[in-house]
Amino acid sequence: MRQKLVAGNWKMHGSLSENRALLGELRAALADVRNMACAVCVPFPYLAQAQDVLTDSAIAWGAQQVSEFAKGAYTGEVSASMLLDFGCRYVIVGHSERRALFGETDQVVAAKFVAAIGAGLTPILCVGETLSEREAGMAESVIARQLDAVLNVAGMSGIARAVIAYEPVWAIGTGKTASPEQAQAVHAFIRQKLAVLDMEIAGRMIILYGGSVKAANAAELFSQPDIDGGLIGGASLVADDFVAICKAAQF
Ligand code: PEP
């Protein structure tokens, strides 16, 4: 059985004092969580704080993006090895907001993925279609294209070191969740696509669902056979909600 994972994506929210309270509440409330993994992906400036509060807790931490470059004259960029310096285990790669708002192409996402695994981080690779792509019947082809860009450079041995997050763009931050059946169908598609290349790796791949997951819908989503947990935006900023979602992933 695959272990479930629930990861929070705080986006550009928080402050030192708010985060200290939230991280402390999560640390205490999730101390007895069993049979699942949880993590929070915080803004870069708060990685040291996450490391400080969460070390030796049940919660791992990570960043929301990473440079594709290892070092050099790239003003404003943060490398994978810098994230490791702050104890990160995870880094989100290819979030739809990065793709849509910051021009990250499939190729850039793939390069960031390679940089992350090269440093020993676990990328949480986001894939997903927009509403118009879904309505045009293109959801699977878009996701296949996004996965192929990474497979072409990292192969199945690279994918095996990652977590995939299916995040339909139309469900992110909109309050519109994919139904468990809709999400399951895409997760099964992703797993089958990977199984064509390597059945064993596909079988143990953790595939998260993200898009307006809440305490009220988490258990039903996570009970689908190919949904191995969630990537949680808004609800990860509210301790009780995030804790309830993590607990919904326990078996
Ligand atoms: C996200 O940011 O990855 C996300 C899924 O956000 P939300 O849960 O708020 O839809």
Side-chain angles (χ1 to χ4, degrees):
M1 192 169 191
R2 292 179 297 272
Q3 191 186 43
K4 292 234 183 329
L5 167 68
V6 174
N9 172 13
W10 286 11
K11 310 196 185 190
M12 200 170 72
H13 293 295
S15 66
L16 269 185
S17 59
E18 286 166 0
N19 298 353
R20 187 156 291 280
L22 179 54
L23 291 168
E25 277 183 77
L26 295 180
R27 184 183 169 118
L30 293 171
D32 62 349
V33 84
R34 294 284 173 273
N35 301 322
M36 56 92 53
C38 44
V40 287
C41 295
V42 306
F44 291 140
Y46 302 130
L47 286 172
Q49 182 185 48
Q51 182 176 34
D52 181 36
V53 179
L54 298 179
T55 292
D56 296 328
S57 77
I59 310 167
W61 59 94
Q64 297 167 21
Q65 77 121 342
V66 65
S67 176
E68 64 265 48
F69 305 111
K71 69 188 294 190
Y74 301 105
T75 302
E77 290 290 276
V78 174
S79 72
S81 66
M82 292 172 183
L83 299 183
L84 271 191
D85 273 347
F86 289 90
C88 290
R89 181 179 307 167
Y90 296 102
V91 61
I92 299 172
V93 172
H95 192 279
S96 61
E97 288 155 13
R98 303 287 326 163
R99 293 178 189 261
L101 304 175
F102 300 99
E104 290 189 9
T105 61
D106 289 339
Q107 286 62 40
V108 168
V109 171
K112 287 173 184 260
F113 183 99
V114 168
I117 55 172
L121 294 163
T122 301
I124 300 176
L125 172 66
C126 298
V127 295
E129 80 286 1
T130 62
L131 185 58
S132 58
E133 288 165 340
R134 171 161 284 261
E135 287 172 348
M138 289 165 56
E140 291 187 356
S141 63
V142 167
I143 292 161
R145 189 203 73 221
Q146 292 169 336
L147 286 173
D148 282 337
V150 173
L151 284 165
N152 287 342
V153 293
M156 277 303 279
S157 60
I159 284 280
R161 292 158 68 185
V163 167
I164 294 174
Y166 167 54
E167 296 213 312
V169 180
W170 47 272
I172 297 177
T174 57
K176 255 194 201 173
T177 318
S179 69
E181 297 71 28
Q182 276 174 323
Q184 164 57 27
V186 175
H187 282 234
F189 166 75
I190 293 171
R191 203 177 301 284
Q192 279 154 18
K193 176 174 168 55
L194 299 179
V196 171
L197 300 170
D198 190 314
M199 200 122 92
E200 192 269 324
I201 293 174
R204 62 183 158 82
M205 204 67 216
I206 294 178
I207 309 178
L208 309 181
Y209 169 77
S212 298
V213 177
K214 313 180 235 325
N217 59 21
E220 205 188 346
L221 284 161
F222 298 168
S223 68
Q224 301 300 310
D226 289 295
I227 300 184
D228 306 310
L231 180 57
I232 319 298
S236 71
L237 296 166
V238 180
D240 287 351
D241 292 352
F242 190 63
V243 168
I245 293 168
C246 290
K247 293 201 166 165
Q250 286 189 107
F251 59 86

